[in-house]
Amino acid sequence: MSVIHHEILIVGAGLAGLRAAVEAADSCDVAVISKLHPLRSHSGAAQGGICAALGNEEEDYPLWHSFDTVKGSDYLGDQDAIEILCNDAPRAIIEMEHFGVPFSRTKEGKIAQRPFGGHTRNFGEAPVCRACYAADRTGHVCLHTLYEQCLKRNVRFYDEFQVMDICEVEGVVNGVVAYEIKTGGVHVFNAKAVCFATGGYGRAWKTTSNAHANTGDGLAIALSKGIPLEDMEFVQFHPTGLYRLGILVTEGARGEGGVLRNGLGERFMERYAPTVKDLAPRDMISRCMFLEVREGRGVGPKKDYINLDLTHLSLKQIETKLPEISTFAKIYLGVDPSKNPIPVQPTCHYAMGGIPTNNEGRVVIDEKNTQKVGLWAAGEVACVSVHGANRLGTNSLLDLIVFGRRAGKDMKEFVKQMKAPVPVPINVANPIKERLSSILSRKSGESVGKVREDLQQMMTDNVSVFRNEETLDRASNDIKSLHTRSRNTVVQDKSKEFNIDLLDALELEFLIDFSISVIESGRARKESRGAHAREDFSSRDDVNWHKHSLCWVDNDGSYKLGYKPVNMKLADEDSRFKPKERKY
Ligand SMILES: Cc1cc2nc3c(=O)[nH]c(=O)nc-3n(C[C@H](O)[C@H](O)[C@H](O)COP(=O)(O)OP(=O)(O)OC[C@H]3O[C@@H](n4cnc5c(N)ncnc54)[C@H](O)[C@@H]3O)c2cc1C
Ligand SMILES: CC(=O)N[C@H]1CO[C@H](CO)[C@@H](O)[C@@H]1O
């Protein structure tokens, strides 16, 4: 068995992985392993922006940003982590500018900023311009820029290598096992530090804004190593996915002045959120849209969608600020947004939960925050937690570069103190080889596509914008049989090169495994908070539920739950935000 050696291994080449790599590469030997070419990572699809209280368009402060993030999180975000995020944001944006990101500009040549949902001035007074952007392709330009910075620093890339397992010796993480998609070879990587930056998991739902690769591999691999997942019941549904397709229309469209209208042509958000209206946070708007449709005020022959109206914006504004989404609407729905409203519906968009970490990106594995030595996580796969029960738009890209950098810095310090990596045992890849050959050896069974379709339908029907005991019990029951079915699929392609059929089968197993944690954490949480809206427990219950969920899932699909407190302490004791009712 040949073993590939590097000092630091980063799994995932989205913005979180690349930012960590840039940080560590000046003094360490860093490799990035990615199942996609780095520039195809989902970060490249981010449209609307990345926020920081720069105050370029109007007065703004990191403290206001912290308040909005805490409130947006429905008070479940850890306030020490949120303070780091918001205080570091202006520095992080200027750094990205210096790396080469071509941000859109104000007339005076400063970085331009626009309003986004839940971002306000003076603790909730009115929307504020806080989102920096490059038209509506912000993620695209950030990803290209960080990739260039990695190449400049000689980061070694292993593209189209799919990581399947973490290696560890006596609890210390020392590498990964990866499948080379081009050849079908299984490789072992040995390192002093490993960072997971594998992104989100929207593909467990039928309607999603997420790319096909967003199958939550990193989450499932963590579970298989006895690492719990934190706050998985909090799944964000973005209000404006293209009708039936789920493809995202950025919130920037509302930031530029777009409004939502129901079947009566009413701007209904005025009723639900009188102050910020169409710029209320996502969890709230998705619920309002759902209610409008349920009460018979939807649009279209089936009255099952909502209109996003941009027709009052100037053509120039649409062409310069929203070119991408305008093209999407034309191509996919045949709608010209300057002339007609865009049909939209909520779409599964973002995972607030993930692998628990501390503020340095170190993975922690229990209620007492015990560290998993040698393992870090950053980006959407991680739960620091800065987003709590609901993420504000443009706070994710910020999270990636702030906490990606911190993980890179911490790994660099860590590996300095280590002479050599703990060697990997000789047979470390065997379980993965066996898993692959057992899938390939099955001659009959259901198709992967059929089981995946049933999973996506079930999650969409039962674990969506609204939940209740009946839907969650049903999901808990259904996922058990889906777990069994996922272990008995048949793949038609038995070849070695580019065997996408085989990878689909594995990704299906990953999808099922973390979905168990989404369902069971949600079934246990008997309150409504942020994106977790229970019809049978419609208010927030701080007495019993102001705490983070942890969920462990075994390979056989059995699970265990635990809880840990929310960190309410700041470095500056005075500026803590006490839980209040969330009104906009
Ligand atoms: C359409 C869309 C628009 C968005 N717009 C915005 C926005 O405007 N502002 C904002 O703040 N947020 C936005 N978000 C959210 C944000 O883009 C994501 O949360 C973020 O990009 C995730 O970045 P990441 O680095 O964690 O992972 P990703 O960018 O998703 O990258 C994951 C990486 O992991 C690799 N990987 C995964 N599994 C494996 C494996 N098993 N082995 C090897 N490699 C693996 C992939 O190849 C990929 O390189 C948007 C999201 C979507 C879907
Ligand atoms: C109660 C409920 O909504 N159950 C749904 C859960 O999902 C299945 C599979 O899609 C549906 O058939 C149920 O109606």
Side-chain angles (χ1 to χ4, degrees), residues 527-575:
E527 66 156 354
S528 287
R529 183 186 296 272
H532 179 64
R534 289 207 42 166
E535 291 165 303
D536 44 352
F537 298 96
S538 57
S539 45
R540 199 175 77 199
D541 174 359
D542 287 332
V543 176
N544 297 302
W545 289 103
H546 189 232
K547 57 189 180 187
H548 296 293
S549 311
L550 297 174
C551 185
W552 288 260
V553 178
D554 264 350
N555 293 333
D556 64 0
S558 61
Y559 70 93
K560 189 181 92 181
L561 293 169
Y563 295 92
K564 64 179 187 181
V566 177
N567 193 337
M568 302 291 283
K569 277 211 265 325
L570 292 179
D572 170 8
E573 279 283 326
D574 281 317
S575 42

Side-chain angles (χ1 to χ4, degrees), residues 67-82:
F67 169 80
D68 291 336
T69 304
V70 170
K71 182 177 172 188
S73 83
D74 221 345
Y75 299 90
L76 194 71
D78 287 324
Q79 298 200 7
D80 55 338
I82 290 173

Side-chain angles (χ1 to χ4, degrees), residues 105-301:
R105 298 281 159 178
T106 65
K107 281 196 192 73
E108 308 81 66
K110 292 182 186 166
I111 295 173
Q113 297 187 278
R114 63 182 164 207
F116 244 79
H119 291 279
T120 69
R121 54 169 287 111
N122 203 17
F123 311 107
E125 216 171 78
V128 75
C129 292
R130 189 177 287 148
C132 311
Y133 58 94
D136 56 356
R137 34 180 105 87
T138 313
H140 178 88
V141 297
C142 289
L143 192 63
H144 277 256
T145 301
L146 284 185
Y147 186 54
E148 287 163 12
Q149 293 295 325
C150 283
L151 295 179
K152 182 173 151 191
R153 289 169 175 77
N154 295 318
V155 171
R156 175 77 157 88
F157 282 92
Y158 294 88
D159 298 343
E160 301 190 328
F161 278 66
Q162 186 146 359
V163 168
M164 306 260 174
D165 203 3
I166 292 173
C167 306
E168 58 181 341
V169 170
E170 288 164 10
V172 176
V173 172
N174 61 346
V176 298
V177 179
Y179 176 86
E180 188 179 1
I181 299 172
K182 191 170 137 191
T183 63
V186 173
H187 302 276
V188 174
F189 290 78
N190 184 207
K192 296 177 183 173
V194 174
C195 180
F196 265 42
T198 50
Y201 62 63
R203 282 283 150 183
W205 282 262
K206 193 175 148 196
T207 307
T208 178
S209 67
N210 282 198
H212 285 275
N214 289 16
T215 48
D217 308 6
L219 298 161
I221 295 169
L223 284 173
S224 76
K225 290 294 170 209
I227 298 167
L229 300 180
E230 181 175 345
D231 292 340
M232 290 295 282
E233 62 272 46
F234 301 103
V235 181
Q236 178 165 84
F237 291 82
H238 192 294
T240 58
L242 290 183
Y243 177 51
R244 281 196 306 231
L245 300 170
I247 296 171
L248 192 76
V249 178
T250 175
E251 200 170 295
R254 279 170 285 131
E256 294 293 342
V259 298
L260 293 164
R261 296 191 190 280
N262 63 18
L264 307 172
E266 263 183 304
R267 187 180 177 187
F268 59 91
M269 281 311 298
E270 284 177 336
R271 269 190 273 123
Y272 298 98
T275 312
V276 294
K277 299 173 189 156
D278 299 274
L279 289 172
R282 292 173 179 174
D283 57 335
M284 198 173 165
I285 297 191
S286 289
R287 283 195 291 277
C288 299
M289 289 169 68
F290 212 92
L291 292 174
E292 290 297 306
V293 167
R294 188 146 76 182
E295 285 162 19
R297 293 191 294 275
V299 189

Side-chain angles (χ1 to χ4, degrees), residues 10-18 32-51 114 116 132 136 138-139 143 158 160-165 177-179 196-200 208-211 213-218 221 236 238 246-252 282 328 348-351 378-382 387 391-400 507 510:
I10 295 168
V11 184
L15 283 180
L18 296 186
V32 174
I33 309 176
S34 174
K35 70 177 179 180
L36 303 171
H37 184 277
L39 297 177
R40 294 196 175 278
S41 303
H42 190 64
S43 291
Q47 301 170 353
I50 176 165
C51 61
R114 63 182 164 207
F116 244 79
C132 311
D136 56 356
T138 313
L143 192 63
Y158 294 88
E160 301 190 328
F161 278 66
Q162 186 146 359
V163 168
M164 306 260 174
D165 203 3
V177 179
Y179 176 86
F196 265 42
T198 50
T208 178
S209 67
N210 282 198
N214 289 16
T215 48
D217 308 6
I221 295 169
Q236 178 165 84
H238 192 294
I247 296 171
L248 192 76
V249 178
T250 175
E251 200 170 295
R282 292 173 179 174
F328 291 167
C348 179
H349 183 60
Y350 183 84
E380 192 171 337
V381 75
H387 310 301
R391 170 176 75 84
L392 296 186
T394 68
N395 260 351
S396 171
L397 293 188
L398 179 62
D399 169 11
L400 309 176
E507 288 178 348
F510 292 150

Side-chain angles (χ1 to χ4, degrees), residues 15 106 135 154 244 248 308 367 395 419 427 440 460 467 476 502 522 555:
L15 283 180
T106 65
N154 295 318
R244 281 196 306 231
L248 192 76
L308 173 61
E367 293 88 341
N395 260 351
K419 277 206 186 68
N427 294 329
L440 287 171
T460 300
R467 297 110 188 248
S476 173
L502 175 64
N555 293 333

Side-chain angles (χ1 to χ4, degrees), residues 392-581:
L392 296 186
T394 68
N395 260 351
S396 171
L397 293 188
L398 179 62
D399 169 11
L400 309 176
I401 61 168
V402 167
F403 288 95
R405 170 172 172 270
R406 292 176 79 88
K409 247 186 173 18
D410 195 48
M411 286 192 286
K412 195 159 71 176
E413 293 302 315
F414 178 86
V415 302
K416 251 189 228 157
Q417 293 155 19
M418 238 178 137
K419 277 206 186 68
V422 181
V424 281
I426 191 113
N427 294 329
V428 69
N430 284 7
I432 291 304
K433 286 184 179 157
E434 279 156 25
R435 189 168 173 181
L436 293 170
S437 61
S438 103
I439 296 175
L440 287 171
S441 68
R442 288 198 290 265
K443 295 201 172 61
S444 63
E446 277 186 287
S447 78
V448 174
K450 174 72 180 109
V451 182
R452 189 178 51 215
E453 214 176 285
D454 287 354
L455 169 74
Q456 291 169 334
Q457 187 68 52
M458 188 280 282
M459 293 297 276
T460 300
D461 290 346
N462 296 296
V463 197
S464 177
V465 174
F466 283 105
R467 297 110 188 248
N468 61 46
E469 186 168 293
E470 195 194 337
T471 64
L472 292 168
D473 283 353
R474 169 76 192 248
S476 173
N477 202 44
D478 283 6
I479 198 81
K480 289 194 190 92
S481 61
L482 286 161
H483 185 275
T484 311
R485 288 167 65 194
S486 73
R487 266 62 179 178
N488 291 291
T489 55
V490 65
V491 306
Q492 303 300 335
D493 183 355
K494 309 285 184 192
S495 65
K496 286 201 146 283
E497 294 86 20
F498 290 104
N499 191 340
I500 302 305
D501 227 9
L502 175 64
L503 295 175
D504 280 350
L506 266 157
E507 288 178 348
L508 173 67
E509 295 184 7
F510 292 150
L511 286 167
I512 302 266
D513 292 355
F514 73 73
S515 292
I516 295 174
S517 69
V518 176
I519 294 165
E520 299 304 342
S521 306
R523 204 157 71 102
R525 186 177 284 272
K526 295 192 165 54
E527 66 156 354
S528 287
R529 183 186 296 272
H532 179 64
R534 289 207 42 166
E535 291 165 303
D536 44 352
F537 298 96
S538 57
S539 45
R540 199 175 77 199
D541 174 359
D542 287 332
V543 176
N544 297 302
W545 289 103
H546 189 232
K547 57 189 180 187
H548 296 293
S549 311
L550 297 174
C551 185
W552 288 260
V553 178
D554 264 350
N555 293 333
D556 64 0
S558 61
Y559 70 93
K560 189 181 92 181
L561 293 169
Y563 295 92
K564 64 179 187 181
V566 177
N567 193 337
M568 302 291 283
K569 277 211 265 325
L570 292 179
D572 170 8
E573 279 283 326
D574 281 317
S575 42
R576 88 172 61 174
F577 304 111
K578 300 234 169 58
K580 274 199 259 175
E581 197 195 341

Side-chain angles (χ1 to χ4, degrees), residues 52-55 58-62 64-65 113 120-121 128-130:
L54 294 177
E58 55 183 320
E59 188 183 14
D60 196 11
Y61 304 99
W64 292 359
H65 185 186
Q113 297 187 278
T120 69
R121 54 169 287 111
V128 75
C129 292
R130 189 177 287 148

